[in-house]
Amino acid sequence: MFEHNRSFPTPLEEALRRSRIVDARNALWPSEAEVVDAEAGVRARLIASFLAASAAFDQVAVDGALAEARTYDLANPGHPPVLNELIAIHEHSAEAA
């Protein structure tokens, strides 16, 4: 009736196929070091934005930087809050003045 000319991969062929799939998936994901570097870059940009706005006495820009920091903190609950860092910077600069 039906002829089955289908061949199945050997265990070695199947292991190699799965290994290639895993390698391809891993290539799509950034390394832990890349993620840490990217997070540090975002945090540094947020702090620099706040400092620049403060130095320019631009209240609208200060409020915008604080809102960005708040949004970042809400999106990244597992990280230390940037907003706390900005508040500490502000308090320290107020004490120095």
Side-chain angles (χ1 to χ4, degrees):
M1 293 204 161
F2 293 103
E3 283 188 38
H4 295 285
N5 292 331
R6 185 173 171 187
S7 65
F8 293 97
T10 66
L12 178 60
E13 291 170 336
E14 181 63 18
L16 289 173
R17 183 186 73 79
R18 288 178 186 222
S19 174
R20 284 191 294 272
I21 291 170
V22 168
D23 289 345
R25 285 183 185 159
N26 288 340
L28 297 174
W29 299 102
S31 70
E32 185 67 28
E34 291 172 321
V35 171
V36 168
D37 288 347
E39 287 291 330
V42 170
R43 295 174 72 82
R45 185 189 59 77
L46 291 169
I47 292 169
S49 175
F50 175 78
L51 291 174
S54 295
F57 298 101
D58 185 347
Q59 190 60 48
V60 172
V62 168
D63 291 345
L66 292 173
E68 276 189 83
R70 199 172 304 119
T71 301
Y72 174 85
D73 290 343
L74 290 172
N76 297 286
H79 298 282
V82 175
L83 194 56
N84 290 354
E85 291 180 49
L86 298 182
I87 291 168
I89 290 168
H90 177 72
E91 288 173 350
H92 179 70
S93 64
E95 290 172 2

